[in-house]
Amino acid sequence: MKVIKFEEYGGPDVLQFVEAEKPDPAATEAIIEVKAIGINYADTARREGKYVVPTELPYIPGSEVAGVIVEVGKNVDKFKVGDRVVALIGSAGYAEYAAVDHSVLTEVPEGVDFDQAVALPLQGLSAYHILKTMGRLEKGETVLIHAAAGGVGAIAVQLAKIFGAEKIIATASTEEKLFHAQKMGATHLVNYTEEGWVDKVKAITDGKGVDLALEMVGGEVFNKTIKCLAPFGRLVIFGAASGEQATFNPGQLMRKNQSVIGFFLPQIMRYPELFQRSFGELLAYMKSGELILTIGGTYPLAEAAKAHQSLQGRKTIGKLVLKP
């Protein structure tokens, strides 16, 4: 089978399109013929050697796959050959076939295509738990969502509305992206590349600030976002897409009882009940039409490097997908 792997850290050019052995299923695994692969900022961070946890080389990236089961291990009884499934896995998703433990498999509902299905696990679960589990968003609160036209952002805007946020302030770098966030349910729009965007957020909230902020840009954006928080406000950090790590004085949080909270999805996955319940809710929102998954572009597996360039160039809207 064909896979994408890298043997050294670096830019998109280190990604190699090569032959590899097709996996055999362990007792609790199913082999999926992959039809769609989700692309995430975590993949680019892995490639650059900047991920939250070490990335051992050589490495096959990819944590989201959707496709059709072609083989099952002897202890797999809830799934069978021919089932349409989606899964969130640790690695090795950039491939034509993937071995996946049955415990993380979810059936793809009728009427949902593989591209849509693969857009849900990582970014949908991230948006859900950033808002609800870590951010403790309550009905009537105000939320600030950066990169609101991206994969996590576009879902977070919709979930914030579902969860009852009164004001949803979306930021993005272009008018096109802001318009998309508005279509997803944002009530207020701010271009964070323009001077004075912090003052605009304050004006929207009548000077109070936001109850919850979602931040994954890093650097200067992180420090400016803290200035947007209301008393008792929470900032959830879940990445640093700019590549810049922010520094700040924790003591500044004391004056207004504010919080900075870290989020890392693999920790959620350690609690199966929490994972399954939240993923079930997301699927229900998708089936009902309350949650719309935007596919920003599809690329052949062989063009993974081009897809990474597009993602890191911040020129995309919605989810990027690889097709074997």
Side-chain angles (χ1 to χ4, degrees):
M1 67 174 182
K2 293 289 189 179
V3 304
I4 293 288
K5 75 171 183 178
F6 56 89
E7 298 178 334
E8 60 180 320
Y9 304 126
D13 58 312
V14 304
L15 297 177
Q16 306 171 34
F17 186 54
V18 298
E19 290 280 352
E21 290 294 321
K22 180 183 172 183
D24 293 318
T28 62
E29 289 181 334
I31 302 300
I32 299 174
E33 182 180 0
V34 179
K35 301 295 185 181
I37 304 159
I39 304 172
N40 298 286
Y41 274 108
D43 302 340
T44 65
R46 289 276 196 186
R47 192 199 70 228
E48 294 173 346
K50 298 178 180 179
Y51 193 55
V52 178
V53 295
T55 300
E56 296 185 7
L57 301 175
Y59 188 80
I60 299 174
S63 56
E64 293 172 304
V65 293
V68 179
I69 293 177
V70 295
E71 194 175 353
V72 295
K74 63 180 182 180
N75 293 339
V76 178
D77 54 11
K78 293 183 179 179
F79 297 92
K80 64 184 184 303
V81 172
D83 284 349
R84 301 169 71 247
V85 294
V86 61
L88 185 61
I89 57 180
S91 63
Y94 283 24
E96 292 179 321
Y97 294 89
V100 180
D101 193 86
H102 70 110
S103 65
V104 296
L105 288 173
T106 300
E107 188 173 354
V108 176
E110 288 297 324
V112 177
D113 64 34
F114 290 121
D115 291 1
Q116 290 178 307
V118 86
L120 186 63
L122 193 151
Q123 292 170 334
L125 286 167
S126 292
Y128 180 102
H129 289 289
I130 290 167
L131 287 168
K132 206 165 195 178
T133 307
M134 309 308 300
R136 306 184 305 281
L137 179 65
E138 296 183 6
K139 187 175 180 179
E141 288 192 319
T142 297
V143 59
L144 171 64
I145 301 173
H146 287 309
V152 173
I155 295 174
V157 168
Q158 296 174 77
L159 290 180
K161 182 178 179 180
I162 292 170
F163 296 159
E166 181 176 343
K167 292 181 179 179
I168 303 169
I169 305 172
T171 81
S173 58
T174 68
E175 291 303 313
E176 181 185 11
K177 291 181 177 181
L178 288 171
F179 179 69
H180 181 73
Q182 187 177 43
K183 287 197 300 181
M184 295 297 100
T187 59
H188 298 80
L189 309 174
V190 175
N191 188 323
Y192 70 82
T193 67
E194 297 176 354
E195 289 294 326
W197 66 263
V198 172
D199 293 332
K200 292 179 181 178
V201 171
K202 290 284 189 69
I204 291 168
T205 61
D206 298 321
K208 175 189 172 185
V210 301
D211 301 297
L212 175 62
L214 280 58
E215 209 292 287
M216 50 76 68
V217 180
E220 183 183 10
V221 173
F222 171 86
N223 285 299
K224 286 185 175 181
T225 303
I226 289 181
K227 296 178 181 179
C228 295
L229 292 181
F232 297 93
R234 294 91 62 197
L235 186 158
V236 181
I237 180 171
F238 62 104
S242 67
E244 300 176 11
Q245 292 295 332
T247 58
F248 78 108
N249 175 11
Q252 73 189 77
L253 302 173
M254 297 169 60
R255 187 165 57 90
K256 294 184 178 180
N257 288 4
Q258 296 163 335
S259 306
V260 172
I261 304 159
F263 172 80
F264 187 45
L265 183 59
Q267 290 297 332
I268 297 292
M269 303 305 292
R270 294 175 184 270
Y271 299 87
E273 183 179 340
L274 182 60
F275 154 67
Q276 294 291 351
R277 176 177 52 78
S278 55
F279 198 61
E281 284 187 43
L282 289 169
L283 286 171
Y285 295 143
M286 192 166 65
K287 289 178 184 178
S288 69
E290 292 177 274
L291 179 61
I292 299 170
L293 304 179
T294 302
I295 306 302
T298 60
Y299 298 79
L301 180 60
E303 296 182 8
K306 183 178 179 181
H308 277 214
Q309 288 174 337
S310 297
L311 182 65
Q312 291 187 285
R314 299 189 197 177
K315 297 178 180 179
T316 60
I317 293 176
K319 182 74 170 183
L320 297 186
V321 176
L322 289 176
K323 307 284 284 187

